[in-house]
């Protein structure tokens, strides 16, 4: 087993004269809190990154860390994946962007079609997962003429601001606890005919990857079917947790699927896959009409990068990544048992989540306790200072470039945390 002595410190960013510290102070002069996305906030400040290769991130002060977050799962092949680098270089010389169709969006849509559990789907591309979710909600309101959207408490769906457009009404949210089928049935009973859609991530990161129970998934399906509401599967993160995504794993037939992250090969992207008949909502004559613009939608760089990444991530590759994630979860849980530590790890596909208790949470609601968040931030902060990057929430993932040595190092660093 790996020992404490093998774990190195990566704390140069915290030194008084460090470049990261200087940059954090300068950034605070031009951006609120010195950051431009909430999800990267770290205490007292984060090391700024200078470069990366494979599974290694190098900060401005020269410290190297093993990346086990990969820009929140977007870099499925790690940093500087040569095929993506080549196609992006070639494409940027040929056509960066133009307000016209390009052949690459059709190629990527065709590649994605068999990866979603919607028959013969149509696609719209966006620049992020957040926009994909917003578009899906507006599509549901436009298609049903209803405004209410069921969302599950504490689930994260990105920036999640209802885009209101004069001719398609903004959604109106109904909150329901996750994994509470009886409450969901009640909600349908009271509001059913006014519900446009249920927006569900069946394995929310905020619940430490808490899987939907079968009863809950069935209630989502049955409620939607009974009251004519659409089912929107948010697969922006969990699509890699099972072939066809989590909705497919539960045997649900979503009407709309939101995708993002790794489908852009590391470049900005989001996508909405929809039942073919829903595509009519975008037609000029449809009432209410669904307008959907976006300067960077379907841009050739993201489309070609996504095509290269997905072509290199077939079922075999996904399966071996899942197997490696299972193995490291077993190793970590074995370590916790040996150290008699109140910790556990859960995994879904190649995603993993630490949890500072033996019993894993059944819902994001259960996972929201501030003491739990503080302990997870403490673990991720320790790992950051000892050469490993995971999210402050305790979430991480593997990429195809992750090596056995990377995972041994993770286990050693966690062991160092437990015995510090
Ligand atoms: N849905 C889920 C489930 C997410 O986790 C996220 C972001 N992590 C989003 C949507 C939004 O994606 P993006 O950050 O690309 O806007």
């Amino acid at each position: 087993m790996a020992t404490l002595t093998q774990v190195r410190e990566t704390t140069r960013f915290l030194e008084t004269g460090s470049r990261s510290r200087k940059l954090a102070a300068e950034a605070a002069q031009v951006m609120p809190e010195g950051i431009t996305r909430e999800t990267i906030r770290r205490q007292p400040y984060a090391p700024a990154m200078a470069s990366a290769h494979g599974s290694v991130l190098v900060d401005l002060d020269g410290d190297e860390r093993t990346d086990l977050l990969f820009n929140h799962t977007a870099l499925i092949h790690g940093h500087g994946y040569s095929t993506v680098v080549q196609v992006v270089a070639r494409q940027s010389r040929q056509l960066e962007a133009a307000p016209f169709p390009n052949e690459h969006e059709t190629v990527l849509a065709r590649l994605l079609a068999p990866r979603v559990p919607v028959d013969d789907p149509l696609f719209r591309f966006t620049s992020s997962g957040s926009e994909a979710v917003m578009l899906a909600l507006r599509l549901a309101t436009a298609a049903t003429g209803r405004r209410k959207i069921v969302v599950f408490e504490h689930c994260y769906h990105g920036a999640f601001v209802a885009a209101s457009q004069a001719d398609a009404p903004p959604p109106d949210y109904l909150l329901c606890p996750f994994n509470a089928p009886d409450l969901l049935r009640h909600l349908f009973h009271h509001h059913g005919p006014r519900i446009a859609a249920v927006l569900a991530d069946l394995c929310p990161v905020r619940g430490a990857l808490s899987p939907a129970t079968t009863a809950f998934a069935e209630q989502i399906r049955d409620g939607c079917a009974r009251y004519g509401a659409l089912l929107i599967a948010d697969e922006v993160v969990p699509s890699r947790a099972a072939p066809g995504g989590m909705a497919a794993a539960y045997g649900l037939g979503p009407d709309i699927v939101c995708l993002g992250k790794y489908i852009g090969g590391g470049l900005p992207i989001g996508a909405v896959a929809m039942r073919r008949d829903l595509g009519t909502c975008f037609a000029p004559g449809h009432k209410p009409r669904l307008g959907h613009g976006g300067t960077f939608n379907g841009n050739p760089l993201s489309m070609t990068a996504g095509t290269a990444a997905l072509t290199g991530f077939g079922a075999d590759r996904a399966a071996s990544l899942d197997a490696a994630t299972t193995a490291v979860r077993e190793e970590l849980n074995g370590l916790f048992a040996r150290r008699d530590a109140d910790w556990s790890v859960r995994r879904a596909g190649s995603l993993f989540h630490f949890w500072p208790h033996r019993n894993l949470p059944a819902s994001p609601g259960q996972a929201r306790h501030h003491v739990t968040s503080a302990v997870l931030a403490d673990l991720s902060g320790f790992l950051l200072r000892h050469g490993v990057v995971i999210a402050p929430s305790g979430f991480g993932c593997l990429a195809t470039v992750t090596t056995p040595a990377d995972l041994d190092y993770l286990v050693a660093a966690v062991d160092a945390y437990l015995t510090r």
Side-chain angles (χ1 to χ4, degrees):
M1 197 186 76
T3 65
L4 178 60
T5 49
Q6 290 171 274
V7 175
R8 66 186 189 283
E9 287 204 348
T10 48
T11 51
R12 278 189 263 192
F13 76 107
L14 291 170
E15 289 168 12
T16 316
S18 78
R19 292 177 67 188
S20 283
R21 180 185 283 238
K22 190 162 173 283
L23 187 66
E26 285 172 13
Q29 302 296 315
V30 289
M31 290 178 275
E33 306 287 301
I35 50 178
T36 195
R37 51 172 158 153
E38 178 62 30
T39 44
I40 64 165
R41 188 195 288 275
R42 306 246 180 190
Q43 294 303 334
Y45 54 87
M49 292 302 150
S51 63
H53 49 93
S55 58
V56 179
L57 270 168
V58 188
D59 74 22
L60 265 187
D61 296 291
D63 271 334
E64 294 192 353
R65 293 179 183 79
T66 299
D67 193 359
L68 285 165
L69 189 52
F70 295 104
N71 200 23
H72 288 258
T73 75
L75 293 154
I76 195 106
H77 298 298
H79 301 274
Y81 178 58
S82 63
T83 325
V84 167
V85 171
Q86 279 161 24
V87 299
V88 169
R90 192 182 332 122
Q91 189 58 43
S92 54
R93 283 193 298 272
Q94 199 169 323
L95 175 69
E96 271 178 37
F100 290 93
N102 64 73
E103 58 193 332
H104 312 290
E105 50 198 359
T106 300
V107 172
L108 184 57
R110 284 199 177 128
L111 204 53
L112 287 170
R115 296 177 183 243
V116 291
V118 178
D119 271 348
D120 201 17
L122 290 175
F123 286 85
R124 274 288 173 112
F125 289 104
T126 62
S127 298
S128 67
S130 303
E131 286 171 71
V133 171
M134 286 189 275
L135 177 61
L137 298 186
R138 294 179 55 235
L139 174 57
T141 57
T144 58
R146 306 173 181 181
R147 285 194 46 198
K148 295 203 181 290
I149 305 283
V150 177
V151 287
F152 299 109
E153 275 174 14
H154 306 297
C155 289
Y156 181 69
H157 297 285
F160 206 54
V161 181
S164 74
Q165 172 130 340
D167 49 3
D172 175 6
Y173 301 110
L174 289 171
L175 270 178
C176 176
F178 188 82
N179 269 345
D182 292 344
L183 293 176
L184 180 59
R185 187 166 356 91
H186 249 64
L187 206 121
F188 268 116
H189 183 69
H190 288 290
H191 301 280
R194 291 178 298 285
I195 296 176
V198 174
L199 172 62
D201 173 348
L202 297 163
C203 172
V205 172
R206 294 258 162 118
L209 300 168
S210 51
T213 60
T214 310
F216 184 59
E218 283 174 0
Q219 185 53 53
I220 294 175
R221 184 196 58 204
D222 295 350
C224 284
R226 179 159 184 193
Y227 293 97
L230 302 183
L231 171 53
I232 304 172
D234 182 349
E235 300 274 358
V236 170
V237 169
S239 77
R240 62 194 268 173
M246 289 303 289
Y250 282 91
L252 300 183
D255 304 285
I256 303 172
V257 176
C258 303
L259 296 167
K261 308 274 191 189
Y262 72 96
I263 67 155
L267 269 66
I269 201 164
V272 173
M274 67 196 84
R275 246 175 38 206
R276 182 154 286 265
D277 58 298
L278 294 176
T280 57
C281 295
F282 295 83
H286 192 269
K287 295 225 182 315
R289 190 176 103 72
L290 181 59
H292 170 229
T295 303
F296 300 105
N297 297 354
N299 78 83
L301 298 185
S302 297
M303 298 298 108
T304 49
T307 299
L310 284 181
T311 307
F313 191 63
D316 290 357
R317 224 128 183 226
S320 64
L321 212 51
D322 292 0
T325 316
T326 304
V328 72
R329 180 201 58 191
E330 293 309 305
E331 205 167 324
L332 285 163
N333 283 335
L335 171 69
F336 295 142
R338 279 197 307 282
R339 294 284 183 208
D340 198 21
D342 267 348
W343 278 87
S344 41
V345 176
R346 180 151 55 195
R347 88 148 188 128
S350 49
L351 312 168
F352 66 84
H353 207 296
F354 285 96
W355 187 245
H357 303 285
R358 279 170 215 248
N359 296 330
L360 288 154
S363 76
Q366 244 178 296
R368 293 297 287 171
H369 198 278
H370 64 277
V371 174
T372 301
S373 305
V375 178
L376 288 165
D378 192 57
L379 168 71
S380 65
F382 179 91
L383 294 179
L384 189 71
R385 297 190 302 280
H386 294 84
V388 180
V389 173
I390 62 167
S393 64
F395 171 63
C397 65
L398 273 62
T400 57
V401 286
T402 302
T403 62
D406 291 339
L407 298 174
D408 286 348
Y409 190 82
L410 169 69
V411 176
V414 171
D415 195 18
Y417 177 74
L418 298 176
T419 55
R420 69 199 183 286

